[in-house]
Amino acid sequence: MQTSVHSRNYSSHIHQARKRILVAGGAGFLGSHLCEVLLEAGHEVICLDNFSTGLTRNIARLNHSDAFNIVAHDIVLPIELEVDEIYNLACPASPPQYQSDPIHTMKTCVIGSLNLLELAARTGARILQASTSEVYGDPHVHPQVESYWGNVNPFGPRSCYDEGKRCAETLFFDFHKTHHVEIKVVRIFNTYGPRMRPDDGRVVSNFVVQALTGQDITIYGDGSQTRSFCFVDDLIDGLIRMMASSASLTGPVNLGNPREFTIGELAEQVIGLTGSRSKIIHRPLPADDPRQRRPDITLAIRELGWRPNVELASGLMQTIDHFNRLFTRTAPDLAGAI
C-alpha cells in the first residue's frame, strides 16, 4: 500500500498486537491519513463518517484491503460496534464548515462524543478525543499551556465549535472518573497538508488555492496575527503516540508546532513557493478571531517523546503539490472531488 504519511516515526508506537480500531471522521483530512497508517501497521480499521465534509476520494486507495471497512453514519446517532480503540475526529474543523450548521456542530461535539464514550464504556475500548486549540479562545496566556482555562466567547460566531469541544472534554473526563473509561484528550493546533479541501476555508488552503488560481490573496486584519502550523505527518504521529501512552496519561496534551508565524509571513511564503503573481489584499478581521496562537508542547515532549519535524516550507510544498494535482484533473473530475 502506498501512503503519503511517512512511517519513520511510527514503528515503536503502532506495530503492536492487531486491534480493531474505529476512526470516527475517517474520511476527513486527518482521519484518512490516520486510517492509512493504522492499516499499514496491520490493524483492522473501521472508518465511520457521515461524509458532510469527508471525501470518498480520501479513502479510495484503502478499499482494496479486507481489513478496512466504511460505515456511513453520523455519530449524533448511537452506534453498536465491537472495537478495541476509538479515535474521535468527527467534526468539521474550519470556521466556514462548522458555522454553516452551528447546531449540528454542537450536537456532533456533545451528543456525538457522548455516544462514542458510551460505546467505549460498553466495550472497554480506549478512546481518544481530538480536541482543539480553539478551547483557548483568544488567549491572554502565550504560549498556551494545558492548564490555561482559555478566553472563549460562549455565544459568538465560533462558539458552536469552541464551546462544543470544551463540553466534549468535560464529558471525557467525567466518563473517566465515573465509569473508568481509558481516555486520551489532545488539543490540536493548526494542521495542514495533502487532502485538505479546496473549499476548506482555513488559512493555508485559502492562500494556496488563491495563489495557484491567480486570485488575490486575502488576509483578514493587518496580517500581524500569528499561528503555528503543524504538518499532518507530525500530527498523526502525535495522535498515535498519545493513544499508545500509559493509561495514567489522560491529557489534555497540546499537539502542534511551536514555531510561530504571522499570517503575513505565511502569505509571502506561499507566493514565493508557488511563483504566483497574486496580490495581497486586506479585509476586516472576523469576530473572535484569535490574535495569537502557539502551543507550549513541553508535556508532549516529556510524556510522548513527540515534537514536530517538518519545516513549514517543506510542508507547504507538499500541500501545493496536492492542490496542483487536484487542479490538473479534468473539470468534471474536479467538481466531483470538491
Side-chain angles (χ1 to χ4, degrees):
M1 179 190 306
Q2 291 184 340
T3 173
S4 62
V5 180
H6 304 303
S7 59
R8 66 185 187 277
N9 295 326
Y10 303 120
S11 57
S12 63
H13 301 277
I14 193 171
H15 293 286
Q16 305 166 352
R18 180 184 173 97
K19 294 178 181 176
R20 195 164 195 247
I21 302 175
L22 173 64
V23 180
F29 163 47
L30 295 180
S32 61
H33 284 281
L34 179 60
C35 286
E36 197 168 44
V37 173
L38 294 173
L39 269 180
E40 188 180 63
H43 298 291
E44 180 182 354
V45 177
I46 301 171
C47 168
L48 187 150
D49 208 296
N50 69 355
F51 295 95
S52 60
T53 57
L55 298 171
T56 55
R57 66 178 173 84
N58 287 344
I59 52 175
R61 71 183 71 189
L62 309 181
N63 284 331
H64 72 279
S65 173
D66 293 337
F68 184 69
N69 297 284
I70 301 171
V71 177
H73 186 85
D74 192 324
I75 62 168
V76 169
L77 303 173
I79 186 166
E80 294 294 326
L81 293 168
E82 297 299 324
V83 293
D84 301 307
E85 291 179 349
I86 302 167
Y87 288 85
N88 182 19
L89 279 64
C91 188
S94 73
Q97 292 170 349
Y98 65 65
Q99 290 172 0
S100 67
D101 191 347
I103 294 173
H104 193 267
T105 296
M106 183 67 82
K107 285 182 176 179
T108 301
C109 290
V110 180
I111 300 174
S113 292
L114 179 62
N115 287 333
L116 293 180
L117 284 163
E118 288 178 340
L119 176 62
R122 181 182 63 79
T123 60
R126 176 175 286 194
I127 182 169
L128 182 146
Q129 165 68 359
S131 190
T132 173
S133 61
E134 296 295 331
V135 301
Y136 299 121
D138 190 6
H140 295 159
V141 171
H142 192 75
Q144 290 78 62
V145 294
E146 291 89 349
S147 58
Y148 176 51
W149 289 359
N151 175 43
V152 175
N153 180 350
F155 49 84
R158 303 168 73 101
S159 60
C160 60
Y161 185 72
D162 301 2
E163 294 287 50
K165 289 288 191 177
R166 286 161 68 94
C167 185
E169 287 193 15
T170 300
L171 280 170
F172 267 71
F173 283 97
D174 285 342
F175 264 75
H176 174 66
K177 289 179 284 188
T178 304
H179 300 298
H180 309 292
V181 173
E182 288 194 13
I183 66 164
K184 304 288 177 180
V185 177
V186 297
R187 290 175 177 167
I188 297 173
F189 284 67
N190 297 66
T191 306
Y192 70 101
R195 299 188 197 154
M196 296 186 86
R197 294 172 56 124
D199 60 349
D200 179 86
R202 282 175 283 192
V203 65
V204 171
S205 54
N206 280 354
F207 286 1
V208 171
V209 169
Q210 288 172 338
L212 291 177
T213 56
Q215 302 174 61
D216 292 334
I217 289 183
T218 307
I219 291 179
Y220 294 94
D222 62 7
S224 64
Q225 65 271 36
T226 67
R227 295 293 184 272
S228 303
F229 302 102
C230 186
F231 190 62
V232 61
D233 291 23
D234 288 328
L235 191 279
I236 298 301
D237 179 35
L239 296 181
I240 290 169
R241 288 172 184 256
M242 185 65 176
M243 182 64 92
S245 66
S246 168
S248 62
L249 181 64
T250 58
V253 174
N254 288 336
L255 293 180
N257 194 319
R259 185 162 183 199
E260 192 173 6
F261 293 88
T262 69
I263 298 302
E265 288 171 337
L266 175 68
E268 294 292 351
Q269 281 216 40
V270 169
I271 289 172
L273 291 171
T274 58
S276 174
R277 296 183 179 180
S278 296
K279 299 177 182 178
I280 294 176
I281 61 172
H282 293 266
R283 295 286 184 265
L285 193 67
D288 299 331
D289 194 67
R291 295 291 306 175
Q292 290 182 301
R293 186 62 59 75
R294 174 163 66 95
D296 184 311
I297 62 168
T298 302
L299 186 60
I301 293 171
R302 184 178 73 239
E303 298 295 334
L304 304 178
W306 178 87
R307 66 174 74 237
N309 294 304
V310 179
E311 294 292 334
L312 182 61
S314 173
L316 284 176
M317 280 307 305
Q318 294 181 62
T319 308
I320 291 164
D321 287 346
H322 157 72
F323 283 114
N324 265 325
R325 290 193 300 272
L326 192 60
F327 292 159
T328 54
R329 299 180 181 184
T330 63
D333 288 342
L334 182 57
I338 297 175

